[in-house]
Amino acid sequence: MSNDHDPLRRAVIAALASAPLLSLANTQSSSDSPRSGSRTLVAYFSRSGNTRVVAGLIQRGLRADLFEIRPAKPYPEDYLETVAQARQERDSGFEPALESKVRAIADYDVVLLGFPIWRETAPPVVRSFLTAHNLTGKTIIPFNTHGGYGLGNSRGVLEKHAPKSMVMEGFVMEGEQERKTMERVTAWLSNSPLAR
């Protein structure tokens, strides 16, 4: 087995990158938890952990606040069941309920929004996130992972569900390239005006 798919290596990278997620995981529902004071929010949805790794790296690199988008009812553990459920939700336009919402979304100017591409589009729970939050006047910068099929119509989903925001070009990578994740995210951030 090559290093590209070494499960131990992948677990170590995920653990290192998700460290800031653990320290902020409980701030979503607590009304008196401190925020960093950042005007930038990193919000992400991740099923397998690839997008979580990227979110952790971006959050640390920008010293931004972090929010994990979670459906109130988690997707099935079984991959094929998740695919079937996501297809049904997409085809019917269903937006699953969220476990929680971002407190004081008005405090942020920039939302870096991360998610995997599912069947050439944004996952239904990401549509729920966009619908549940007033993003008027905010800059949305997507960061996406995909399984080889690219971004599909995900940008159109963002523009449709947050029509009064500015959707910028973001970061995209094939999800199974975790050994290059840290270098690519770091390079992208170093060229970003947000990091200055």
Side-chain angles (χ1 to χ4, degrees):
M1 182 180 287
S2 76
N3 283 341
D4 290 351
H5 299 290
D6 180 2
L8 178 59
R9 185 177 195 290
R10 186 178 191 151
V12 168
I13 289 172
L16 289 173
S18 65
L21 305 179
L22 300 175
S23 65
L24 295 172
N26 293 328
T27 65
Q28 294 177 176
S29 59
S30 175
S31 60
D32 56 357
S33 297
R35 289 186 41 231
S36 71
S38 176
R39 303 286 297 169
T40 302
L41 175 68
V42 177
Y44 74 95
F45 168 71
S46 184
R47 181 185 181 278
S48 67
N50 290 326
T51 307
R52 178 179 291 113
V53 169
V54 178
L57 292 168
I58 293 171
Q59 183 268 330
R60 274 196 308 227
L62 297 177
R63 293 188 175 107
D65 289 340
L66 188 70
F67 179 83
E68 182 175 3
I69 301 167
R70 296 181 194 143
K73 180 182 177 195
Y75 284 100
E77 289 291 323
D78 182 82
Y79 174 76
L80 294 177
E81 289 177 28
T82 297
V83 168
Q85 180 178 330
R87 180 183 310 127
Q88 188 276 329
E89 290 175 350
R90 181 203 62 201
D91 292 349
S92 69
F94 178 76
E95 294 180 5
L98 297 172
E99 181 181 275
S100 61
K101 291 176 29 175
V102 176
R103 284 184 298 113
I105 190 75
D107 291 349
Y108 299 102
D109 299 323
V110 176
V111 177
L112 287 109
L113 181 58
F115 54 91
I117 301 299
W118 283 7
R119 303 195 57 84
E120 300 181 15
T121 193
V125 71
V126 171
R127 293 193 322 258
S128 298
F129 174 83
L130 294 167
T131 299
H133 295 87
N134 180 359
L135 301 175
T136 299
K138 301 193 183 310
T139 299
I140 299 175
I141 304 172
F143 60 96
N144 305 105
T145 58
H146 65 86
Y149 296 101
L151 294 175
N153 73 346
S154 62
R155 183 179 176 111
V157 169
L158 301 183
E159 291 169 345
K160 178 181 177 184
H161 285 78
K164 296 180 181 177
S165 65
M166 183 183 339
V167 178
M168 306 293 288
E169 286 295 316
F171 176 81
V172 61
M173 71 175 290
E174 192 169 340
E176 294 303 318
Q177 297 174 337
E178 67 274 350
R179 75 182 174 95
K180 296 180 181 178
T181 298
M182 287 190 205
E183 293 119 9
R184 290 194 60 203
V185 171
T186 301
W188 178 68
L189 284 174
S190 69
N191 293 321
S192 170
L194 294 172
R196 294 184 182 104

